Amino acid sequence: QVQLVESGGGLVQAGGSLRLSCAASGRTFSTYTMGWFRQAPGKEREFVATISGSGGSTYYADSVKGRFTISRDNAKNTVYLQMNSLEPEDTAVYYCAAKSGLVLRNYKNYDYWGQGTQVTVSS
């Protein structure tokens, strides 16, 4: 069982930056693939970024590539999402999630979820 708690969301102007954090419970954090997803009102939850357990493999949605960076600190049981050059289209509730095994982009493959943190980007 893994419990996830996100933090770092907020209101920012277009072009600004935010850093999201997701703290995980448990002693096997490094065995989990971690992902960030987001959901805007009226839209389906969508993939943002994912990182392998070792941190050696990362993947991004095309819409955030070059602007967002996912990273993890296994000693701190924490995964991060650095978001730069934010756009109003990035406005959503951001969720972190965990799964065992392969790095995958579909949110339906993830077993554990945080409660989400709101990110609002004003134009």
Side-chain angles (χ1 to χ4, degrees), residues 4-106:
L4 304 171
V5 179
E6 301 99 333
S7 61
L11 173 64
V12 64
Q13 288 188 330
S17 298
L18 282 175
R19 188 195 196 201
L20 305 183
S21 299
C22 174
S25 65
R27 292 177 290 180
T28 59
F29 178 71
S30 63
T31 67
Y32 287 92
T33 289
M34 300 298 297
W36 285 98
F37 298 82
R38 65 187 183 187
Q39 189 166 18
K43 294 188 176 181
E44 188 175 11
R45 191 165 298 190
E46 66 173 359
F47 166 74
V48 175
T50 185
I51 187 168
S52 62
S54 67
S57 297
T58 57
Y59 301 93
Y60 297 91
D62 288 343
S63 59
V64 308
K65 202 172 294 183
R67 300 188 298 123
F68 291 11
T69 302
I70 188 171
S71 62
R72 67 190 296 160
D73 185 338
N74 286 341
K76 295 183 178 180
N77 280 18
T78 302
V79 62
Y80 305 97
L81 185 68
Q82 178 66 44
M83 305 186 295
N84 299 329
S85 302
L86 282 161
E87 303 168 352
E89 293 74 23
D90 296 317
T91 295
V93 177
Y94 282 70
Y95 299 90
C96 76
K99 68 176 299 296
S100 299
L102 296 175
V103 176
L104 297 172
R105 304 180 185 216
N106 192 323

